Amino acid sequence: MPTVALSSSDPATLSADALVIGAVSVDGTATLLRGHGLPRSAASHLKSALETTGATAKAEEVSSFVAVPGVKAKRVLVVGLGTGTPSTAPTDPEVLRRAAGAAARTLKKEAKVVLALPTASAEGVSAVAEGAYAGGYDVRRLTSKDAPAPRIDTITVATGVDDGALAGRVEVLGAARAWCQDLVNTPPNLLYPQSFADAVTDKVRETKARITVEVMDEKALAKGGFGGILAVGQASARQPRLVTMTYKPRGAKASIALVGKGITFDSGGLCIKPAASMLTMKCDMAGAAAVAATVLAAAQLKVPVAVTGYLCLAENMLNGNAYRPSDVVTMRGGTTVEVLNTDAEGRMVMADALALASESNPDAIIDIATLTGAQMIALGNRVAAVMANDDALRETIAAIGTGAGEPMWPMPLPEDLRAALDTPNADIAHKGDQWGGMLTAGIFLSEFVGTPKGAKAEPGMPAPRIPWAHVDIAGPAWNDKAPWGHTPKGATGFGVAALLSVLETYA
Ligand code: BES
Ligand code: MN
Ligand code: ZN
């Protein structure tokens, strides 16, 4: 894993494989930002080199030049920051994060990289370092040959900003995100409920993080009445698990529950998916992976907030024991659910864990799940949806997630859609009609969030609920298009940065 450092030295004097600087697009031509700090010889060399190559400095364009006079680094990467003027550096950290990521993606093995991008604040410095770290991620190819060396070895951000804790936080977040990506990229024959649970146990042991891991197997799940997780997992030869990860620092300022959907493969079950839709369904445990990585990062950074992660791990398969449309399942806590489509399995496993999380009376519950195709119809592949039973929590998560480089947009839970879940056969049906499918999934989940301990219902009013938010990451969890910014093809690690930042706001 790469190391991260800040340096106030003149970037031209730092030895490195690559020095990354920024350029803005002025009338369609790449122009170096004033204040780049390079010697005049370097600047004029780069100016004519950019001209010769026809660089435009549109966002994320990377031009590479070797033997730049006056620069110690072996090559200079000029990365586009989009339209601007030479004297006004872009202030949006997201522009910097993506630019750093795009530059890092061009690096070859074991590179030492220095980034001298316009960073005026700690936020900007973090964005640059995070972008470079994430841009260096490679899928672990499972070939018969030896694994190639990691592409980035050291990341140095040249900046006047001085922040003692920043580099360490970027290292922890970067490694946690990469772990999340590794889990999601692992093929489903190798990553199944028990092996996922083992991966978590091993990681906690290796990192010596102060996290207690508990794994419930199918017997424990039956004993605990986790009907939803069992129903979804019962047709798989690899039986379901519920993993809890508990991090409980002394003097915690708050206690937060994180719940992640961990369907290690979603075939759709008896309501089987078409072949093409199944191809990316190893990513259906991305929520659980994000939760596991976030709890790990929070513990490593000693965030003064108690965090319990719940990973709902099951494989949605088909055999003679598969759960069926029209089954009625009794969930944790006793609610009965009529199953209408076995491909709507995520909400079944999540509901059990939301009920369990509520029993510990946390200050808030946040769940994250690749829950619905409707999320992608609404918001596409790069923006996640946030729904909640608490307006402030929803707005905070959307704003903090977006600020952390993981765009999130608030979505409603319209009361009138609740009627779509009425059924004569059980307490609740688990899906409504197609329209607003993301929202009805959210409404279904909201029913399993418990009442805060000690809170009393006003006469005639519904029982108060623990503040809860639901993040649907069906689109953003996986990138099957070309890489962009710091996002590679495949698993994106979406959610780790956002959830970690959200936890930090409770500190
Ligand atoms: N895992 C899928 C949702 C999904 C789709 C995630 C595409 C990532 C990419 C989920 O389990 C599912 O199949 N949802 C169904 C629900 C429907 C049957 C009510 C869907 O959205 O089509
Ligand atoms: Mn499904
Ligand atoms: Zn699913």
Side-chain angles (χ1 to χ4, degrees), residues 261 263 266 268 271 273 277 280-281 283-284 316 341-347 369-376 381 430-434 437-438 441 472-475 477-478:
K261 171 175 173 181
I263 301 297
D266 183 10
C271 307
K273 287 181 184 292
S277 313
T280 57
M281 279 303 123
C283 87
D284 214 19
N316 189 20
N341 185 316
T342 61
D343 198 10
E345 84 297 337
R347 61 198 78 182
T370 48
L371 204 64
T372 65
Q375 186 277 325
M376 298 158 83
N381 279 308
H430 90 319
K431 67 176 281 288
D433 61 27
Q434 177 191 4
M438 169 173 64
D472 194 334
I473 57 166
W478 187 261

Side-chain angles (χ1 to χ4, degrees), residues 135-396:
Y137 176 81
D138 268 327
V139 178
R140 273 200 251 154
R141 247 171 268 275
L142 302 174
T143 63
S144 51
K145 300 181 192 69
D146 287 345
R151 284 189 294 118
I152 299 185
D153 180 47
T154 61
I155 296 164
T156 305
V157 182
T159 178
V161 176
D162 182 20
D163 183 327
L166 191 153
R169 183 185 183 279
V170 175
E171 285 178 355
V172 167
L173 169 59
R177 185 190 344 239
W179 181 45
C180 173
Q181 289 171 288
D182 283 345
L183 289 168
V184 177
N185 282 325
T186 303
N189 60 328
L190 303 179
L191 192 93
Y192 45 92
Q194 181 62 51
S195 70
F196 192 151
D198 290 342
V200 171
T201 309
D202 292 350
K203 191 62 149 191
V204 168
R205 193 178 305 130
E206 267 165 39
T207 56
K208 301 193 173 69
R210 302 188 122 243
I211 296 169
T212 318
V213 181
E214 247 179 278
V215 182
M216 274 185 255
D217 64 9
E218 66 273 29
K219 284 195 202 90
L221 290 168
K223 210 165 158 211
F226 294 91
I229 298 177
L230 286 166
V232 171
Q234 72 194 23
S236 170
R238 280 95 64 101
Q239 283 290 295
R241 300 287 181 263
L242 178 56
V243 175
T244 58
M245 300 171 70
T246 310
Y247 161 61
K248 215 171 187 174
R250 214 179 276 260
K253 303 248 174 37
S255 78
I256 308 298
L258 302 177
V259 178
K261 171 175 173 181
I263 301 297
T264 58
F265 184 71
D266 183 10
S267 71
L270 288 177
C271 307
I272 193 168
K273 287 181 184 292
S277 313
M278 231 184 267
L279 206 53
T280 57
M281 279 303 123
K282 71 172 180 181
C283 87
D284 214 19
M285 35 58 74
V291 166
T294 304
V295 179
L296 177 69
Q300 290 180 314
L301 293 170
K302 302 195 166 62
V303 177
V305 173
V307 190
T308 307
Y310 298 84
L311 319 179
C312 318
L313 309 180
E315 191 182 34
N316 189 20
M317 297 292 276
L318 357 55
N319 70 9
N321 193 40
Y323 82 134
R324 318 155 187 80
S326 77
D327 276 0
V328 173
V329 174
T330 304
M331 313 288 280
R332 173 80 175 187
T335 304
T336 59
V337 173
E338 184 181 27
V339 175
L340 297 178
N341 185 316
T342 61
D343 198 10
E345 84 297 337
R347 61 198 78 182
M348 297 294 287
V349 303
M350 297 294 280
D352 271 345
L354 288 171
L356 177 66
S358 301
E359 292 165 21
S360 306
N361 197 37
D363 295 311
I365 304 175
I366 303 169
D367 82 59
I368 180 162
T370 48
L371 204 64
T372 65
Q375 186 277 325
M376 298 158 83
I377 293 173
L379 292 172
N381 279 308
R382 295 187 185 184
V383 181
V386 192
M387 289 145 272
N389 64 6
D390 181 295
D391 292 344
L393 184 60
R394 180 183 55 240
E395 300 306 316
T396 305

